Amino acid sequence: MFSGKVAIITGSAQGLGKAFSRVLLEQGGKVCLSDVNPNVLEKTYEEFKAEFADSVFSLPCDVTEKEQLREVFRRTKETFGRIDLVVNNAGIVHEVQWEKCIDINLNGTIRGTQLGLEYLRRDNGGNGGVILNMASLAGIFPVNYTPVYCATKHAIIGYTRSWALHPDAVNNGVRLVCLCPSFVDTDMIKMDDKSKYIGPDLAQSVLDKHGVMSIDKITQEFLNAIGDETNNGVSIAITKEGVKNIPSPRP
C-alpha cells in the first residue's frame, strides 16, 4: 500500500511515531524521522538504518520552531524526491506549562499541516497525498484533569475538518484525517510526573477505569486511515471497545 511512497512523521523517535514509521518502512515506504530529542532520535535512526538502509533518514526538529520544521520538509523532498504523507504526531500533556502544550500540540500541527499542503498539492508540484493529524478521544469529549490538552485536541479536529473541506485541498488530491485514540501504552500516559495534570488522582482513576490499548492496535487503524481513500475530514475514535469513524459535519 505504501511501497515507494515517502512520509514525514514528527515525534517519531519513540511511541506511536516510531511505530508508525516502522510499519511504513516494512511496507516498502521511505520515512523522515523527526523528533525534538536528538539522543533518542539517533538510537531509533540507527535501529531502522540497520534494517531498512537508505529508506530512512532523521533530522532533529522542534515543531515550535517553524524554520526547523520547514527544513525537515525541504530535506525530505531533496533526499527522496517526493512527499506523500505527513503525520503531525508530536505532542505533550502539561497543564502547568500550558503555553508550551498549545504551541507543540496545536501550533505545531498547524505548521505541519500548512507545510504538508504546500508540498503535497498538485498545483504546486506535489502528487497529492494524506495529512494525518494526531488528535485524541480528548478532542471529542471533555476531560476534567487536562483542560488545556483537551482544548488543543478539540482544535486539531476542527482545524483538520475545515481544511478537508477546502477546495485547495480537495481539488489538489490532499486528504486530511484525525486519529483519536484513548489511552495508549506510551510514555505520555505514565504517571511519574503528576504535576502535568490538574488533579492527578482524577487522571489515575480514569486510566484505571478505561485501561490502556496496545500500540499495535493504533498502528492498524493508522494504516486503515491512510489507505482508505474515502476518509477525508474523518475523526477516527479508537477505544478498547472498538473503532468509530466520525465524519465531518457539513455546514
Side-chain angles (χ1 to χ4, degrees):
M1 179 182 72
F2 203 74
S3 180
K5 295 185 179 180
V6 176
I8 291 172
I9 304 180
T10 64
S12 48
Q14 57 190 336
L16 286 173
K18 180 179 179 181
F20 296 160
S21 300
R22 171 173 284 281
V23 74
L24 294 178
L25 290 165
E26 288 173 343
Q27 292 205 357
K30 299 178 180 181
V31 176
C32 171
L33 303 171
S34 172
D35 202 281
V36 72
N37 189 324
N39 295 328
V40 181
L41 180 63
E42 181 64 19
K43 290 179 182 178
T44 299
Y45 168 71
E46 293 297 336
E47 175 188 333
F48 287 170
K49 179 77 171 176
E51 282 189 71
F52 304 107
D54 293 334
S55 292
V56 60
F57 85 103
S58 68
L59 197 63
C61 176
D62 180 344
V63 297
T64 69
E65 299 291 339
K66 61 181 181 181
E67 292 307 319
Q68 288 186 25
L69 191 55
R70 177 168 288 280
E71 182 67 3
V72 167
F73 280 77
R74 189 192 70 78
R75 287 277 304 280
T76 301
K77 181 69 178 289
E78 179 182 81
T79 301
F80 292 135
R82 59 187 292 151
I83 300 171
D84 302 281
L85 170 65
V86 176
V87 182
N88 291 303
N89 171 69
I92 65 168
V93 178
H94 214 302
E95 296 299 310
V96 177
Q97 298 177 25
W98 59 268
E99 295 99 333
K100 182 177 180 180
C101 185
I102 291 171
D103 204 13
I104 293 172
N105 293 6
L106 177 56
N107 297 346
T109 295
I110 291 174
R111 292 181 189 103
T113 299
Q114 290 182 343
L115 284 164
L117 288 163
E118 178 182 332
Y119 276 81
L120 294 178
R121 52 191 293 171
R122 290 172 180 152
D123 66 357
N124 198 39
N127 301 297
V130 181
I131 298 172
L132 186 144
N133 291 332
M134 285 303 297
S136 166
L137 212 61
I140 300 171
F141 301 105
V143 181
N144 57 3
Y145 55 87
T146 54
V148 173
Y149 176 82
C150 189
T152 65
K153 297 304 182 178
H154 272 72
I156 287 169
I157 290 175
Y159 181 76
T160 305
R161 283 174 165 175
S162 298
W163 262 117
L165 292 174
H166 199 289
D168 284 356
V170 174
N171 296 336
N172 284 288
V174 181
R175 292 190 294 114
L176 296 96
V177 62
C178 283
L179 282 192
C180 305
S182 60
F183 298 109
V184 186
D185 187 15
T186 67
D187 286 345
M188 183 177 283
I189 67 163
K190 290 182 178 176
M191 296 295 291
D192 51 348
D193 180 9
K194 295 187 167 105
S195 69
K196 62 188 181 183
Y197 299 105
I198 295 178
D201 292 341
L202 289 171
Q204 187 63 61
S205 65
V206 174
L207 184 63
D208 292 341
K209 178 180 178 180
H210 293 285
V212 178
M213 295 182 294
S214 71
I215 287 178
D216 287 346
K217 179 170 184 175
I218 311 305
T219 301
Q220 184 55 55
E221 295 309 321
F222 165 77
L223 287 176
N224 293 343
I226 64 174
D228 184 350
E229 294 186 358
T230 67
N231 273 351
N232 186 43
V234 174
S235 301
I236 303 169
I238 311 167
T239 67
K240 292 193 78 173
E241 288 72 38
V243 178
K244 182 178 181 181
N245 286 2
I246 304 171
S248 175
R250 294 298 191 266

